[in-house]
Amino acid sequence: MQAGLVRASQLVTPSPARSQSAVDLLLHGFPGDLRGMILQVSGSAPITPVTQILRSAQQAGPAPTAWVSDGTSLPYPPDLVSAGLDLQRLLFVRSQRADLRLHAVDRLVRGELVSVVAVDLASGEPPDPGVLGRFMHLSARTGATVVLITPGTVGALSPAVRVHLRATAGDDGHGETSGHTTGVRLEVLRSRGPLHGGVLDARFAPGMC
């Protein structure tokens, strides 16, 4: 090949080091770079990265965070404390009705009451695209981030989702555990923002998957 020319594939293939730093940014530099957008976390271990995202947001500023649950998948509070969350700055909303959970998200974001709100969508129908579109505009205006928790292998729920992350337990997806930590593989499936595709094998406190 003539000097100075490179294959097109080389222009779009991220280096392993860059991919790892991109996924790592999601957990450790989250509030500054991903503020004011919709983030979706799916897979077999979504609770683990969501907990870390809330912890990072609490460390970045004084605003409270929120967790909107269907009442069946909320982590054990002592596990949240072990993961570094301040329960005094974490609002809990519980409802078995998906429409009421989404209404709570709307009120929290519209009222600029929290920096991050995580909503569990494990039960009920997927949100109407118009609802997520409204959340997208509200998040951009207020700076609050909405985290959609969708366990399983679902795809991105809407074009309004700017980052879609998949979390699986263990390097091989079987919940590898060692000592006081649990292995979780994080993969960026979609990014319309500062992150790009990448995979990171990380270890977290157990009991959070």
Side-chain angles (χ1 to χ4, degrees):
M1 184 176 291
Q2 185 175 345
L5 297 179
V6 297
R7 297 184 183 278
S9 59
Q10 293 178 276
L11 300 177
V12 297
T13 303
S15 67
R18 188 180 180 193
S19 294
Q20 178 168 322
S21 65
V23 184
D24 186 68
L25 173 65
L26 182 63
L27 299 180
H28 302 293
F30 170 81
D33 291 278
L34 296 179
R35 184 180 290 115
M37 66 175 64
I38 297 180
L39 170 68
Q40 181 179 343
V41 184
S42 59
S44 62
I47 301 301
T48 298
V50 171
T51 300
Q52 296 302 308
I53 288 168
L54 292 169
R55 179 188 61 83
S56 295
Q58 287 187 350
Q59 292 177 343
T65 55
W67 199 311
V68 181
S69 169
D70 62 359
T72 61
S73 60
L74 190 66
Y76 187 47
D79 287 338
L80 294 174
V81 174
S82 297
L85 276 173
D86 180 358
L87 297 186
Q88 297 297 321
R89 297 172 56 206
L90 180 61
L91 308 177
F92 291 106
V93 179
R94 294 184 181 183
S95 176
Q96 294 183 346
R97 288 177 50 181
D99 61 329
L100 292 182
R101 295 199 298 276
L102 294 173
H103 179 72
V105 173
D106 185 280
R107 295 295 93 189
L108 289 166
V109 175
R110 188 182 299 273
E112 302 184 40
L113 302 176
V114 296
S115 59
V116 177
V117 54
V119 55
D120 193 337
L121 299 177
S123 61
E125 296 295 323
D128 183 273
V131 172
L132 295 183
R134 184 172 73 250
F135 287 173
M136 178 183 68
H137 292 295
L138 285 174
S139 295
R141 178 174 63 82
T142 64
T145 297
V146 176
V147 182
L148 309 175
I149 306 173
T150 55
T153 58
V154 298
L157 294 177
S158 162
V161 174
R162 293 199 56 189
V163 174
H164 183 195
L165 177 72
R166 179 168 59 198
T168 53
D171 298 345
D172 57 1
H174 297 294
E176 176 189 340
T177 301
S178 175
H180 299 292
T181 61
T182 298
V184 175
R185 169 161 288 184
L186 306 174
E187 181 181 2
V188 176
L189 300 181
R190 173 184 183 176
S191 176
R192 297 172 58 212
L195 297 184
H196 51 79
V199 176
L200 175 66
D201 292 318
R203 307 203 72 82
F204 301 98
M208 300 306 302
C209 293

